[in-house]
Amino acid sequence: MILTFLAVTFAWIFFRAGTMGSAMNIIKGMISGSWTLGFSIVNDSFMGKAMYEWWIIIASLIALTIFDVTAKVLKKEPWELLYNLHEIPRGVVFLGLALVSVTYGIYGQGNEIRSFIYMNF
């Protein structure tokens, strides 16, 4: 099963690369240990995301961790914490989550429908 996963993952390099040359550059980077392909900070962005987007991701992960730890300490399911809130705070939480989802739900370049992977075939 692990070998199948590795083979499929390796095959995806050729499937997603724009050219055979770029696929070979990715493979060379993997073999040589040059892990800067896509992981360097260029023009104030990291991995295709602006730095403010990374701060939003980090803040979201911290909030999710606090929410999860609170649920564990109180020995309740996370949904029970929200369900037991009064209607106004619960509405504010859900409205905030919806606003964040709509505002920051799409990341990176080429987020149009044309960039969907199977539209290239």
Side-chain angles (χ1 to χ4, degrees):
M1 186 165 84
I2 293 173
L3 289 177
T4 303
F5 172 75
L6 292 174
V8 169
T9 302
F10 186 76
W12 269 99
I13 295 171
F14 297 100
F15 186 66
R16 290 294 297 159
T19 64
M20 184 61 89
S22 63
M24 295 310 290
N25 285 337
I26 292 170
I27 294 169
K28 286 177 189 174
M30 290 169 58
I31 293 171
S32 69
S34 174
W35 293 99
T36 60
L37 292 171
F39 292 103
S40 58
I41 296 176
V42 178
N43 295 332
D44 200 33
S45 68
F46 179 69
M47 292 177 56
K49 293 176 181 35
M51 295 310 282
Y52 78 91
E53 292 175 316
W54 281 107
W55 285 113
I56 292 168
I57 292 169
I58 291 168
S60 299
L61 289 173
I62 290 171
L64 184 62
T65 302
I66 290 170
F67 185 68
D68 189 51
V69 169
T70 303
K72 185 152 182 95
V73 167
L74 295 176
K75 296 182 179 169
K76 292 186 175 187
E77 292 292 324
W79 64 268
E80 288 179 301
L81 293 177
L82 290 176
Y83 185 75
N84 292 332
L85 285 176
H86 188 60
E87 289 145 0
I88 293 175
R90 185 172 60 221
V92 169
V93 168
F94 287 130
L95 184 62
L97 289 173
L99 182 64
V100 167
S101 297
V102 169
T103 305
Y104 299 106
I106 300 175
Y107 283 108
Q109 300 173 354
N111 54 14
E112 310 96 26
I113 190 67
R114 287 180 276 127
S115 70
F116 184 64
I117 187 171
Y118 296 111
M119 297 299 258
N120 295 327
F121 293 106

